[in-house]
């Protein structure tokens, strides 16, 4: 059954998260500061103190194209691992765009259309968010322009094709069509791009166009809240409560969507579940970043956000999990990590693709590169259970399929993928650019 409300975890936290700050005054930003970028309904959701926010009927009508999504026990994977652990996965790849991203793209397009917005701009890494917003805009008659990180633009041409099918315009980022993109290209004509650069470009166009607004696929509170339909459904579907919940993290929306409803139960003392976020070794914002105020984009156009960050000027190596190549982490999740509400670990991409292939050959679904990080950690935990004899119940989020990522699997199977372990001096250099 599709939930009738989104869940807002903020009122249930032991301490409120730090507010976004205006980069000029260093004072907390207000609704007027965000109005050039977001419709008022989403601004209200961003700062809401309500635990539950009703999902509009028009959004539910689109959700019904694919929700509720299946919760599946990975029996064949368990058998191949010879583990006593019981593994469940919530499969979001059944959505029209093939990932969890439409859970927030649809309400964002709906609220913007209701306020008369003509054009939505956005960035995308792997292309899952871009294709989700393109789909959502097509449902509500809104134009869509997308800046796609150059590394993924080149690696994933069929993600780009899907956005075009849904009617969107797609630019490789950095692009010459914006001032911020042109500046990056002048310094580095071969730049692989980053989500921070692409955000700068999308924000620049939205802020300069009166009937345009900006849409973000992760990081912000309202985005994480929209994704809680995943965890609410999983709570209803699971035959037993999990001992461990595992999810991949880039900006944080997939992990938050699965875990927040379970965290609500833990904070209320009803379960004792452990939560674990998994990020790439090439972009380890939780595990090696600092918790500080930083810009959400490269050019410094966004408010200052208190988050785990590698520095807004950091450009990750072009790993194939494009959706995890972001310099910062959701401020809300960063705050919760500081409160000790969950763990974080890293995994290299070859181990992740190995897990993805094993999953495909047992469960039959080819995962997107992003959730292979969670699968790698799930497999490692299941093998630990094999050694210890523990019968843990493990829940993970398979947040999208890998049908558009087969070129990356080709490279893995040919032994051509490199593991990137980020040198500390690159982090140190990027952190020198943090706002004072």
């Amino acid at each position: 059954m599709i939930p009738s409300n989104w869940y807002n975890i903020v009122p249930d936290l032991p301490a409120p998260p730090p507010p976004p700050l205006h980069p000029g005054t260093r004072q907390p930003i207000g609704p007027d500061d965000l109005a050039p970028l977001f419709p008022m309904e989403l601004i209200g959701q961003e700062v809401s103190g309500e635990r539950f926010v009703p999902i509009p009927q028009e959004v539910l009508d689109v959700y019904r194209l694919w929700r509720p999504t299946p919760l599946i026990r990975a029996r064949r994977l368990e058998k191949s691992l010879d583990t006593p652990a019981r593994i469940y996965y919530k499969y979001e790849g059944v959505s029209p765009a093939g990932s969890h991203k439409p859970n927030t793209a649809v309400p964002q397009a709906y609220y913007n259309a209701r306020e008369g917005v003509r054009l939505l701009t956005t960035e995308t890494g792997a292309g899952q968010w871009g294709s989700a917003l393109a789909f959502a805009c097509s449902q509500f008659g809104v134009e869509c322009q997308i800046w796609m990180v150059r590394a993924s633009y080149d690696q994933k041409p069929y993600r780009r094709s899907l956005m075009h099918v849904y009617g969107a315009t797609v630019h490789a980022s950095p692009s010459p069509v914006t001032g911020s993109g042109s500046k990056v290209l002048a310094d580095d004509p071969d730049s692989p791009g980053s989500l921070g650069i692409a955000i700068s470009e999308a924000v620049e166009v939205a802020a300069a166009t009166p009937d345009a607004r900006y849409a973000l696929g992760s990081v912000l509170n309202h985005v994480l809240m929209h994704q809680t339909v995943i965890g609410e459904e999983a709570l209803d579907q699971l035959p037993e409560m999990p001992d461990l919940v595992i999810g991949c993290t880039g900006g944080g929306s997939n992990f938050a969507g699965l875990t927040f409803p379970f965290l609500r139960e833990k904070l209320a003392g009803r379960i004792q579940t452990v939560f674990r976020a998994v990020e790439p070794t090439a972009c380890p914002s939780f595990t090696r970043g600092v918790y500080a105020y930083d810009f959400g984009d490269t050019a410094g156009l966004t408010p200052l956000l208190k988050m785990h960050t590698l520095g807004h000027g950091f450009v990750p190596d072009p790993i194939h999990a494009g959706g995890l190549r972001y310099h910062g982490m959701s401020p809300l999740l960063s705050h919760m990590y500081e409160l000790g509400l969950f763990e974080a670990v890293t995994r290299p991409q070859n181990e992740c693709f190995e897990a993805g292939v094993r999953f495909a050959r047992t469960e039959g679904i080819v995962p997107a590169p992003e959730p292979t990080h969670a699968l790698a950690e799930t497999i490692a935990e299941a093998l630990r259970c094999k050694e210890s004899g523990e019968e843990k119940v493990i829940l993970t989020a398979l947040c999208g399929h890998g049908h558009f990522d087969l070129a990356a699997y080709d490279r893995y199977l040919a032994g051509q993928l490199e593991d990137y372990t980020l040198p500390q001096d690159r982090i140190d250099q990027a952190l020198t650019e943090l706002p004072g």
Side-chain angles (χ1 to χ4, degrees):
M1 182 174 170
I2 306 173
S4 57
N5 297 289
W6 294 301
Y7 168 56
N8 176 21
I9 199 171
V10 173
D12 290 335
L13 295 178
L21 302 181
H22 190 285
T25 65
R26 300 301 173 97
Q27 297 299 309
I29 59 172
D32 290 346
D33 297 309
L34 296 175
L37 295 179
F38 303 108
M40 290 308 298
E41 182 66 35
L42 292 179
I43 294 172
Q45 291 180 8
E46 185 67 18
V47 298
S48 175
E50 298 296 319
R51 294 179 75 240
F52 295 98
V53 174
I55 302 175
Q57 188 60 49
E58 294 88 342
V59 172
L60 287 171
D61 288 344
V62 182
Y63 275 179
R64 288 191 181 94
L65 292 174
W66 74 96
R67 304 214 70 87
T69 59
L71 179 98
I72 302 167
R73 176 144 174 214
R75 294 182 185 273
R76 291 175 179 82
L77 179 62
E78 293 171 11
K79 184 178 179 181
S80 80
L81 297 170
D82 190 26
T83 178
R86 296 187 291 282
I87 302 170
Y88 296 87
Y89 61 95
K90 183 73 165 150
Y91 183 41
E92 292 294 301
V94 295
S95 78
S99 77
H100 70 295
K101 293 294 188 178
N103 297 332
T104 185
V106 170
Q108 289 192 53
Y110 164 72
Y111 288 124
N112 276 283
R114 198 174 69 175
E115 291 194 15
V117 171
R118 174 188 62 84
L119 168 68
L120 274 178
T121 71
T122 197
E123 77 295 327
T124 192
Q128 289 187 346
W129 167 242
S131 51
L133 189 66
F135 155 72
C137 285
S138 74
Q139 296 295 301
F140 294 104
V142 178
E143 293 180 36
C144 187
Q145 280 198 44
I146 300 162
W147 276 262
M148 187 175 185
V149 174
R150 164 62 75 177
S152 293
Y153 185 94
D154 294 336
Q155 290 169 354
K156 304 176 192 296
Y158 295 112
R159 278 277 173 210
R160 188 184 349 137
S161 297
L162 184 59
M163 296 177 226
H164 288 149
V165 167
Y166 285 133
T169 301
V170 186
H171 308 279
S173 174
S175 77
V177 300
T178 67
S180 51
S182 297
K183 183 176 184 301
V184 174
L185 289 172
D187 294 336
D188 181 7
D190 298 319
S191 170
S194 70
L195 280 167
I197 296 168
I199 291 171
S200 295
E201 297 200 81
V203 167
E204 179 183 325
V205 171
T209 310
D211 54 355
R213 293 294 183 271
Y214 169 69
L216 189 63
S218 193
V219 177
L220 295 182
N221 294 4
H222 67 271
V223 180
L224 275 56
M225 183 182 72
H226 295 159
Q227 293 292 353
T228 57
V229 292
I230 303 172
E232 296 287 20
E233 287 179 5
L235 267 173
D236 186 54
Q237 293 167 320
L238 273 169
E240 52 189 339
M241 283 299 100
D243 298 297
L244 175 63
V245 178
I246 299 172
C248 64
T249 49
S253 69
N254 156 68
F255 180 75
L258 179 67
T259 60
F260 280 7
F262 288 92
L263 272 161
R264 175 185 69 224
E265 300 304 301
K266 184 173 184 178
L267 289 167
R270 291 186 283 267
I271 61 174
Q272 295 300 315
T273 303
V274 173
F275 304 90
R276 188 172 299 154
V278 190
E279 59 187 7
T281 55
C283 197
S285 51
F286 268 140
T287 53
R288 294 178 64 193
V290 299
Y291 186 49
Y293 272 103
D294 195 10
F295 292 105
D297 70 313
T298 300
L301 302 178
T302 68
L304 294 174
L305 307 171
K306 186 93 181 266
M307 60 184 177
H308 284 267
T309 179
L310 296 166
H312 62 277
F314 173 72
V315 178
D317 292 297
I319 59 170
H320 282 273
L324 306 186
R325 296 175 67 247
Y326 182 55
H327 68 271
M329 187 55 64
S330 153
L332 180 53
L333 280 176
S334 295
H335 172 64
M336 293 168 64
Y337 186 59
E338 290 294 305
L339 292 175
L341 296 180
F342 59 88
E343 307 168 353
V345 298
T346 63
R347 291 285 171 186
Q349 69 173 351
N350 271 294
E351 181 185 347
C352 295
F353 275 91
E354 179 185 3
V357 169
R358 184 166 199 157
F359 190 86
R361 292 176 181 176
T362 52
E363 294 300 310
I365 298 170
V366 180
E370 289 77 17
T372 62
H373 290 69
L375 291 174
E377 181 61 27
T378 297
I379 288 170
E381 186 68 33
L383 291 174
R384 286 191 284 268
C385 289
K386 179 180 178 179
E387 293 296 318
S388 67
E390 292 178 275
E391 297 183 6
K392 280 189 180 179
V393 177
I394 304 171
L395 171 64
T396 190
L398 186 56
C399 59
H401 65 62
H403 297 173
F404 296 107
D405 303 291
L406 292 176
Y409 278 93
D410 278 345
R411 292 198 65 207
Y412 167 73
L413 293 170
Q416 296 173 351
L417 283 192
E418 295 179 46
D419 285 334
Y420 298 95
T421 300
L422 194 61
Q424 186 62 41
D425 61 343
R426 281 186 56 193
I427 299 177
D428 295 342
Q429 176 58 39
L431 291 177
T432 62
E433 301 174 15
L434 286 179

